[in-house]
Amino acid sequence: MHLILLLSVVAIASLGLASSQDRLDCEYSCGNVSITYPFGSREGCYYSPDFLITCDQSSAGEPIPFFKDNSSNVVITNMNTSKGEMEIQMFVASDCYNSSGRAKRLTASLSLMDFRISTKNRFIAIGWDTQAFIAGALGNDIITTGCTSICDDTTHITNGSCSGVGCCEIAVPKGMSTFAMSIGSSNNHTKILEFNPCSYAFLVEEGKYDFSSHDLLDFQSDQKMRMVLDWAIGNDTCDTVNKEADNFLCKSNSTCDQNYTGPGYRCRCLDGYKGNPYTKVGCKNIDECEDKNHGCTHKCIDKEGYYECKCRKGYSGDGKIGGSGCRANRSLLTIIAICTSAAAIFLLVSVTWLYFGIKKHRLIILREKFFKQNGGIMLQQRISGDGGSHDQAKVFTIEELKKATNNYDESRIIGKGGYGTVYKGVLSDNRIVAIKKSKLPEQSESQIEQFINEVVILSQINHRNVVKLIGCCLETEVPLLVYEFIPNGTLSDHIHNESKSLAITWDIRLRIATETAEALSYLHSAASVPIIHRDIKPMNILLDDNYVAKVADFGASRLIPMDQIELATIVQGTLGYLDPEYMHTSQLTDKSDVYSFGVVLTELFTGREALSFARPEEERNLAMYFLSSLKEGRLFQILDEHLQLNEVPSEIVQVSRLAERCLKVRGDERPTMKEVAMELERILASVIHKHLWVQGTSNEEEAEYLLREPNEEYEYTNGANTSSSTFDSMSKQTILPIASGR
């Protein structure tokens, strides 16, 4: 017996298989979970320490496999080598209150190395008064998303649906390697302590949790939720990994999976093989002929990695069902066609000409299809019907914009984000423009007329503090939008960049706030069809070389019919700037912009970001922290140190009180943008007056700079037959930072 075992080991070693991938002393299961390489439960059996699986043999019943996180043991319930997936049990985060306040809080987090959070999971929160967030690492960036669940009773709850009433859920961003869940409450559960005063949040594989109203009353927080992790080998992709290195795992009968986009790489068995592609002998030949449905009409012959079909004697062909099959042999007359060189060249030229001609024709047809699909004919009719005004939107061709951007060269990129990419372009008349290529799904037919209406109206807006829409290109699947170019970056860059923030003094910041308020007041009140921006934030306020504010990015804007004061919409915006009343009711009004502008005002004199999970919990939400600081008389302590103030000027106190009014929870208690603009104009005028009297004539240039006319004349030229129907040119965009329900 010992001799047989010794000979077996020698034979394996002679074949070069005595590596960690094929050791005989490795454990290949723990309980009912299979452990396959690159995973292993002891030293020498796994690829790297990140793939170490510990088998708890001491547990009652079946042994339990787990791997170690930074702070806990993560139980594994299933592993799939061919798909690169692992199913684990994940903890539930909870936040409980009693009549005295928070009573108990449990957090849930996970820190991974070679594993990623699969997009098959959903982030779910349940509770009567719950705000749940998940923050995670995506490469070198930290991203945050979340959802809100609010419920007064169980009357409107739908079992099995996480729509935001009692339960909310969102998709998980792709590629997160580390995450932490946090939960909060707007009212500390004070209104619903008689029910379940707790909120819960967890990650779970889609389809593995069904919400029930019973969970609001008696949810077991100690239960574990099944979630899925993706895994891969190392950090190199298939294109960058050294395939000749000894530690490259895709050996014989396997290959690097090009369909996996990393980070890291995965192996898969070649066609005709199956098994574990991470071991030297893991991928074994599939005997297709054992399957009765092999597809051969007569005889199936298995080969290494493939199979062949043979016809019976006297027949020929590929022998496959669905192919040429097997047919009787016939005596064939050998016919040799001798073609001249000229004929061959003529045929080649004819085929080439035909190929490129058909390709060009198809391209023209495709452009015409996109042009019509995006409402090009309708836009041309609108421009023609309005007399072809100089201020009307221009319809550019795809060639014009390719030439303007040097065929969208990467050196022309001036901005990139979730909505798309912005390029700097130079038109044929030497105008410098910004060209936006959006990442949007295909428009539905019902949105085409609305998109065209908004393009026509926005192109006619001629306000010194609104970025002008010059035109669009409709010959691509998603329309390209062309805007005037603003050279000095965003307000956010200047507030939060230490080297730039010193240059924008309080006087300049006050003027920027005033100009922004005037632009929003114009959009709300002076435009023929009122426009609600819906995403006011420093990132969407551009500055020119003279620090003149330009409101930009109307991708989420909505136009409100004249006979309506509010509009039901899907909640969109940026976390930290969203109107809480809008989040709760989904009713969009012009007061939603007022709230967002109030947050911008607060950023201007504090220099802090609207939302930051790097700050202490009570300071994370700037609006709430500002209101509490103002109430407690701590305004000076939160002012931006780059303003270099020894005391709080009266105008900052006035602006802070205005911001306080803008940040009222109830929209009807907030001022209108027109009232806000008038108040800021008054404050700015007092600052200018103070400069003129205090500084005298020695600083006339600075006074003149501040005296730039905030109410400079502007035009609003509305074309004939402009529809007042509600529309949204970028309605296909979806804002991810927060969602009301699913």
Side-chain angles (χ1 to χ4, degrees):
M1 184 65 183
H2 294 290
L3 179 60
I4 294 174
L5 180 60
L6 177 62
L7 290 175
S8 300
V9 173
V10 172
I12 293 175
S14 66
L15 292 173
L17 301 177
S19 67
S20 61
Q21 304 176 19
D22 306 283
R23 286 178 49 162
L24 298 177
D25 59 343
C26 294
E27 296 181 3
Y28 295 100
S29 66
C30 180
N32 58 359
V33 177
S34 297
I35 303 176
T36 55
Y37 194 82
F39 295 93
S41 59
R42 63 179 64 179
E43 186 175 356
C45 296
Y46 47 76
Y47 173 72
S48 72
D50 296 329
F51 291 88
L52 171 62
I53 304 299
T54 302
C55 187
D56 184 5
Q57 301 287 354
S58 63
S59 59
E62 291 284 348
I64 299 175
F66 62 87
F67 69 86
K68 291 185 178 294
D69 180 30
N70 286 345
S71 59
S72 60
N73 295 333
V74 181
V75 176
I76 302 169
T77 55
N78 190 26
M79 292 197 300
N80 190 319
T81 304
S82 61
K83 293 183 178 180
E85 294 179 350
M86 174 190 293
E87 185 183 85
I88 65 171
Q89 292 181 350
M90 189 57 202
F91 303 101
V92 175
S94 62
D95 189 30
C96 297
Y97 293 80
N98 56 29
S99 58
S100 301
R102 177 175 284 141
K104 182 179 181 182
R105 187 175 194 179
L106 295 176
T107 60
S109 62
L110 201 60
S111 180
L112 306 168
M113 293 295 292
D114 289 334
F115 303 143
R116 303 289 183 274
I117 311 303
S118 173
T119 54
K120 292 182 178 180
N121 300 302
R122 307 289 291 182
F123 179 62
I124 295 178
I126 58 178
W128 302 91
D129 176 22
T130 301
Q131 293 177 338
F133 303 96
I134 179 171
L138 189 60
N140 294 326
D141 298 326
I142 300 297
I143 60 173
T144 303
T145 184
C147 66
T148 300
S149 169
I150 298 176
C151 180
D152 294 329
D153 54 53
T154 59
T155 306
H156 302 291
I157 292 177
T158 303
N159 288 335
S161 172
C162 283
S163 59
V165 181
C167 174
C168 66
E169 68 173 282
I170 58 170
V172 178
K174 181 179 180 181
M176 283 201 310
S177 60
T178 300
F179 72 87
M181 291 182 280
S182 62
I183 314 175
S185 167
S186 298
N187 299 304
N188 294 347
H189 286 252
T190 54
K191 294 183 180 181
I192 44 85
L193 286 174
E194 64 271 19
F195 300 113
N196 187 344
C198 294
S199 298
Y200 307 95
F202 49 85
L203 280 169
V204 64
E205 183 180 359
E206 187 171 10
K208 294 296 178 68
Y209 170 74
D210 287 325
F211 171 66
S212 169
S213 59
H214 179 72
D215 291 340
L216 283 172
L217 304 174
D218 186 23
F219 186 81
Q220 302 300 316
S221 61
D222 58 347
Q223 63 180 308
K224 306 294 190 302
M225 292 297 174
R226 293 195 173 188
M227 62 174 287
V228 179
L229 302 179
D230 293 330
W231 57 268
I233 305 298
N235 294 315
D236 290 322
T237 64
C238 291
D239 295 328
T240 61
V241 69
N242 182 6
K243 297 181 175 59
E244 303 300 325
D246 292 337
N247 62 350
F248 180 63
L249 297 186
C250 306
K251 302 295 185 181
S252 58
N253 301 332
S254 69
T255 184
C256 199
D257 187 359
Q258 294 287 349
N259 292 326
Y260 175 67
T261 56
Y265 70 89
R266 288 178 179 171
C267 302
R268 67 171 179 84
C269 292
L270 295 172
D271 294 340
Y273 295 87
K274 65 179 179 180
N276 186 350
Y278 295 94
T279 64
K280 293 181 179 179
V281 294
C283 294
K284 298 180 180 179
N285 176 60
I286 300 174
D287 188 351
E288 293 89 351
C289 295
E290 290 183 351
D291 186 355
K292 294 181 180 180
N293 298 319
H294 48 64
C296 295
T297 59
H298 176 58
K299 186 177 181 180
C300 177
I301 301 176
D302 183 61
K303 300 288 186 178
E304 185 68 20
Y306 69 101
Y307 69 100
E308 292 180 349
C309 295
K310 292 291 186 180
C311 296
R312 64 171 60 95
K313 189 176 181 180
Y315 289 78
S316 61
D318 61 13
K320 295 182 179 179
I321 300 173
S324 62
C326 294
R327 56 187 180 276
N329 292 327
R330 299 176 181 177
S331 298
L332 300 176
L333 297 176
T334 305
I335 303 175
I336 304 176
I338 303 175
C339 299
T340 63
S341 312
I345 295 174
F346 174 78
L347 180 62
L348 179 62
V349 171
S350 299
V351 171
T352 303
W353 177 84
L354 183 63
Y355 169 76
F356 284 107
I358 293 174
K359 186 176 181 180
K360 183 177 181 180
H361 180 67
R362 287 179 176 174
L363 184 60
I364 293 174
I365 292 176
L366 185 61
R367 289 184 181 179
E368 289 178 351
K369 173 189 172 183
F370 289 148
F371 187 80
K372 294 178 181 178
Q373 176 179 297
N374 292 324
I377 296 176
M378 190 183 307
L379 180 59
Q380 287 180 334
Q381 291 173 346
R382 291 293 304 277
I383 295 175
S384 175
D386 291 336
S389 169
H390 175 72
D391 291 329
Q392 282 287 2
K394 178 180 178 181
V395 181
F396 293 90
T397 65
I398 193 171
E399 283 78 12
E400 286 180 296
L401 298 190
K402 279 186 176 180
K403 183 178 179 181
T405 59
N406 193 17
N407 199 20
Y408 302 104
D409 189 88
E410 287 191 1
S411 63
R412 295 292 187 93
I413 295 176
I414 57 176
K416 185 178 290 186
Y419 292 149
T421 305
V422 180
Y423 294 84
K424 180 180 180 180
V426 181
L427 300 179
S428 57
D429 59 2
N430 292 325
R431 278 189 299 170
I432 301 177
V433 295
I435 301 171
K436 184 175 182 180
K437 292 182 70 175
S438 299
K439 296 178 182 177
L440 298 177
E442 185 179 357
Q443 288 194 131
S444 65
E445 293 182 6
S446 63
Q447 295 171 320
I448 293 175
E449 183 175 358
Q450 297 174 347
F451 167 75
I452 295 304
N453 282 343
E454 188 162 356
V455 168
V456 172
I457 290 177
L458 291 180
S459 68
Q460 296 178 76
I461 292 178
N462 190 14
H463 190 282
R464 69 188 297 269
N465 301 120
V466 176
V467 173
K468 184 171 180 59
L469 176 67
I470 297 174
C472 60
C473 174
L474 306 176
E475 294 179 353
T476 55
E477 184 174 6
V478 177
L480 305 176
L481 299 176
V482 182
Y483 296 90
E484 68 170 315
F485 178 73
I486 309 299
N488 205 13
T490 69
L491 176 59
S492 180
D493 295 334
H494 291 271
I495 296 176
H496 303 303
N497 185 308
E498 184 171 355
S499 61
K500 294 182 179 181
S501 63
L502 291 170
I504 55 171
T505 62
W506 166 242
D507 293 343
I508 295 176
R509 298 188 192 197
L510 179 57
R511 182 171 57 80
I512 291 171
T514 304
E515 291 172 342
T516 304
E518 289 171 354
L520 294 176
S521 174
Y522 164 77
L523 295 175
H524 289 186
S525 308
S528 62
V529 180
I531 302 171
I532 297 179
H533 190 282
R534 200 159 55 158
D535 197 17
I536 294 297
K537 58 184 178 181
M539 283 291 293
N540 289 339
I541 300 173
L542 305 181
L543 302 176
D544 68 9
D545 290 329
N546 294 319
Y547 296 105
V548 174
K550 301 277 187 175
V551 176
D553 200 342
F554 290 84
S557 300
R558 296 302 298 267
L559 278 79
I560 305 300
M562 298 300 291
D563 58 348
Q564 290 183 230
I565 60 173
E566 61 182 25
L567 184 69
T569 69
I570 297 175
V571 176
Q572 295 188 30
T574 302
L575 193 62
Y577 301 91
L578 270 173
D579 173 10
E581 185 176 59
Y582 172 41
M583 288 175 59
H584 183 61
T585 65
S586 297
Q587 296 297 318
L588 179 67
T589 70
D590 56 356
K591 296 299 184 69
S592 300
D593 278 354
V594 175
Y595 183 90
S596 301
F597 181 76
V599 180
V600 174
L601 276 182
T602 309
E603 279 193 73
L604 278 168
F605 56 72
T606 65
R608 299 169 180 246
E609 296 179 353
L611 186 67
S612 174
F613 285 89
R615 299 196 295 255
E617 184 174 355
E618 65 275 7
E619 300 181 19
R620 288 178 182 173
N621 187 295
L622 177 59
M624 296 176 63
Y625 181 56
F626 159 70
L627 292 174
S628 64
S629 299
L630 194 63
K631 183 177 180 181
E632 296 169 7
R634 294 186 289 107
L635 178 60
F636 183 76
Q637 298 177 21
I638 66 171
L639 291 182
D640 189 353
E641 61 183 12
H642 296 134
L643 293 177
Q644 300 180 351
L645 301 173
N646 295 323
E647 59 183 11
V648 183
S650 62
E651 59 267 19
I652 290 185
V653 175
Q654 295 175 62
V655 172
S656 67
R657 291 301 181 187
L658 180 60
E660 180 185 28
R661 292 170 58 201
C662 293
L663 296 175
K664 293 289 186 181
V665 174
R666 292 177 56 87
D668 55 10
E669 296 178 0
R670 303 171 197 153
T672 65
M673 279 310 308
K674 186 174 183 180
E675 293 170 337
V676 173
M678 292 174 63
E679 177 67 11
L680 287 173
E681 288 173 15
R682 184 191 62 77
I683 298 172
L684 180 61
S686 68
V687 173
I688 296 172
H689 183 75
K690 181 171 65 176
H691 275 262
L692 290 174
W693 282 97
V694 174
Q695 298 178 2
T697 58
S698 61
N699 284 319
E700 289 182 359
E701 291 185 2
E702 183 178 354
E704 182 181 351
Y705 180 69
L706 286 171
L707 279 167
R708 294 180 189 276
E709 181 55 57
N711 287 319
E712 179 179 315
E713 281 192 21
Y714 52 80
E715 292 183 16
Y716 179 81
T717 309
N718 187 21
N721 302 323
T722 299
S723 170
S724 63
S725 61
T726 303
F727 60 89
D728 180 4
S729 71
M730 305 292 279
S731 60
K732 298 176 293 185
Q733 297 187 14
T734 302
I735 307 296
L736 285 179
I738 193 165
S740 179
R742 189 166 182 169

